[in-house]
Amino acid sequence: MTGDAPPAGDVQALLRARAAARFRAARPDLAPRFDLDSITGLLAAREAVRTAPDDPPVRAVAVLGRLDLAAWTRAACEFLLALPSDQAAAWQRSLTMTIFLAGSPANLRERFTFDHVAGPYAWRGPAPAAAHTGLCRLLRTFEASRPLATDQAVRRIDLPQGPDAAPRPCRELLVEIATARVPASRALVHLHHLLADAVLGGRIGPGDRLTLRPVPHIAATDRSILALRIDLDQPGGSDDSDDSGWSGRPGQPGRPDQPRLRAYAALRPPAPPAAAPSFDGVLTRDDASLRWAADDFGHLVHHRPRAVLRAASVSDVVRAVRLALDMGCTLTARGRGHSVYGQAQAADGLVVDMSGLNRVDGVTASTIRAQAGARWADVVDAALGRSRAVPVLTDVVDTSVGGTLSVGGIGGASHRHGLQIDNVAELSVVTGTGQLLTCSPTRDRSLFHGVLGGLGQCSLIVAATLRTVPAPRRVRYGLRAHHSLDRCLAVLRRLAADDGPDFLQGHVLLAASGRWQYAVETAVYEYGPRSDHDHAPGTATGSAAGTGTGTGRQAEARSYRDFVHRMAPAEAAARASGEWFQPHAWLTVLMPDATVSTLAASVFGGPAPRGLTGPAEPRLVGLLFPIHPGNADGSPTPIPMPAGPGPVWVLSVLRGGRADDPAGAAALVEANRATRDAAVALGGTVYPINAVPTQPDYWRAHFGQQWPGRQALRARFDPAAILTPGYGIPRDDA
């Protein structure tokens, strides 16, 4: 369906009104018979056109030998512009039904007559279905399951002047195509309907210039829209529509009780040229920066952006969002690049390097404020200057504040203090509309909890005020081996329940022989008078050089700062050996207490899984430890957690591959998928930082009861769906 002027009201009401106006214009004879204000009535009206025995519809046929969106669009417009008026009128009454077939026109021209041929594309004009029977029996339906490639979709097309028409002024027009959850074959159906109605309705003419632009979702409320393609929403991106593009019929089994409409293609005048924004930082398109932004710690996924902004101020982030809106592209914020599966990448979009936003200040008796690009190591140093510490740190403190707060932030103190997101007092965020907002538990609470652990879907964190606690003077740190997984789990469970250590983790180690080892890592904080020596680097007593992967080591005393940086030697060694730059197919799931042993035994017992075998010395291949998520005031943590009594368990699998073995790396990702699915089947949830592809339907199940609220926040704060596309989370509001 294609509509004209937008009526007032919410998005769904607007789409219904547009669809109804389109039907009334095409079939004024049928319109009074149906309730066109409802989706059910629209579907029934469409079905009446398709099946009317006394007035059978006519259909066009399009044959495609390959897919080049710009070339196909130009050829389609040429066909439509040359269509005789009587055929055009009959076709419009049939709602421009078209059959799309895969084949080579060059191989078919001796057997079939085409009305328009342009290289690998051909059309037969609208005719009764019987006229196309032979062609339809010979060729299969054109299918392309992947979404449109954005690098081929952003193109300009100059339409030819008509051979007999006087030259006319060239009009600049913008054609937008929705790409999120839309296979390329479906996108062509929607685009063809839009072009047909626009050409036959006089909105596109000879000599016009079209700019094709892919967008995740189309903002249907824009009053500048000249024509709009509307269809039923397909949440899973399925393709079960008829040749009119309608995805379903009245009473079809399996349809939701309340179907929704969606805008799939739009024709609008181009936006007036905007002045090039000025940035405090640097906007660059050089090859080295684009390659850097298309990689991460996982080294498994590589999506090249359109540009990289090295942000130097919060205002830069605001300007970047507005630039992305003007360009019609997505945008993501990148911290320290510790993602493992492209979560902080943006294909043909804008990547904002947040590392320049690294100021840490505002240290008070109970809080500290840090910009999103600051490392947690920087926060530690600034807080220690006032003998303060943040309650929870991840093992690697080179990660960014904004990065871990966007996913959750789990560490060895989470059995006492919850997640990092449970210890935030206030946030400064930039929304998908380019607004700078402040939120907290008492100020726009829904946004606050939607951003914490929200995967950057409704706003980007630019600064956070963090709660602090007294800093320990020293740390007594130890690791004890257990050669039984059950024994290790029992010890961890007991220590988490008792008034035990301040830091608690379980390690899973594996030698090349395939022998499993398990260890419990603990740390007890000591408090007392502060001295500069206590927090200076390298002040541990005993053996402070260990990286935490050995077994049987006795407790050692070290400064709190040294303890926080305990993983630095291991990282330096990994960089020196090159292992840091190899694929890392890591996976973390959150398990209920009742079933953690079942999953742990299947992953960390028996034959060593692929990607976990190590050298002769035991190698750290997994983490396993209990946590108690939630705020000190008793409110739950914002992200989904497994249900059930007892602690929640973190289970991480640290699979590694080789850059010269892409097939092996792909197998590791598939192993992650199997582990994830097993965890979910046992009542677990996913901590969403993993090297595993995730389908749209999975995200709905993952967020569960939170899904409607999170979708409402996205519709409110990121209506154009430009923020953080790397997670592949679908939208239900467009």
Side-chain angles (χ1 to χ4, degrees), residues 428-697:
S428 294
V429 302
V430 174
T431 71
T433 59
Q435 290 180 288
L436 176 61
L437 300 176
T438 299
C439 54
S440 71
T442 58
R443 182 177 180 180
D444 209 334
R445 180 183 178 90
S446 63
L447 176 62
F448 180 71
H449 289 298
V451 173
L452 289 172
L455 311 180
Q457 296 300 296
C458 64
S459 294
L460 304 177
I461 298 171
V462 292
T465 300
L466 311 165
R467 298 189 183 96
T468 62
V469 295
R473 181 175 62 88
R474 301 180 74 74
V475 176
R476 292 206 170 269
Y477 167 73
L479 196 70
R480 172 164 297 199
H482 298 278
H483 297 289
S484 160
L485 176 60
D486 289 341
R487 174 62 180 163
C488 184
L489 288 169
V491 170
L492 288 166
R493 188 178 284 110
R494 175 177 58 80
L495 291 176
D498 296 344
D499 185 18
D502 298 282
F503 178 97
L504 179 64
Q505 279 189 351
H507 290 189
V508 180
L509 304 103
L510 186 64
S513 63
R515 180 169 173 263
W516 295 98
Q517 295 181 8
Y518 314 98
V520 174
E521 181 184 26
T522 60
V524 176
Y525 297 163
E526 296 180 350
Y527 299 86
R530 177 191 179 280
S531 71
D532 292 338
H533 177 74
D534 288 330
H535 297 311
T539 60
T541 60
S543 174
T547 63
T549 60
T551 58
R553 193 169 69 244
Q554 298 299 313
E556 57 191 47
R558 47 171 77 182
S559 74
Y560 177 69
R561 188 183 186 282
D562 271 3
F563 172 71
V564 166
H565 289 272
R566 68 194 177 280
M567 297 302 296
E571 178 179 332
R575 288 182 180 275
S577 69
E579 189 277 334
W580 188 266
F581 308 102
Q582 299 298 318
H584 297 92
W586 290 9
L587 174 78
T588 297
V589 296
L590 306 174
M591 297 301 299
D593 189 52
T595 59
V596 62
S597 59
T598 302
L599 183 67
S602 68
V603 178
F604 299 136
R610 182 169 186 167
L612 295 186
T613 54
E617 293 300 320
R619 174 190 180 191
L620 180 67
V621 296
L623 297 173
L624 183 63
F625 57 97
I627 64 173
H628 291 287
N631 289 272
D633 62 5
S635 59
T637 197
I639 64 175
M641 287 286 167
V648 170
W649 288 78
V650 178
L651 188 153
S652 296
V653 188
L654 312 181
R655 295 184 169 98
R658 300 196 319 269
D660 61 355
D661 182 17
L668 301 184
V669 172
E670 285 304 309
N672 280 349
R673 190 199 302 270
T675 302
R676 179 201 66 185
D677 292 348
V680 172
L682 290 168
T685 62
V686 168
Y687 185 57
I689 58 170
N690 302 311
V692 58
T694 302
Q695 299 302 315
D697 285 344

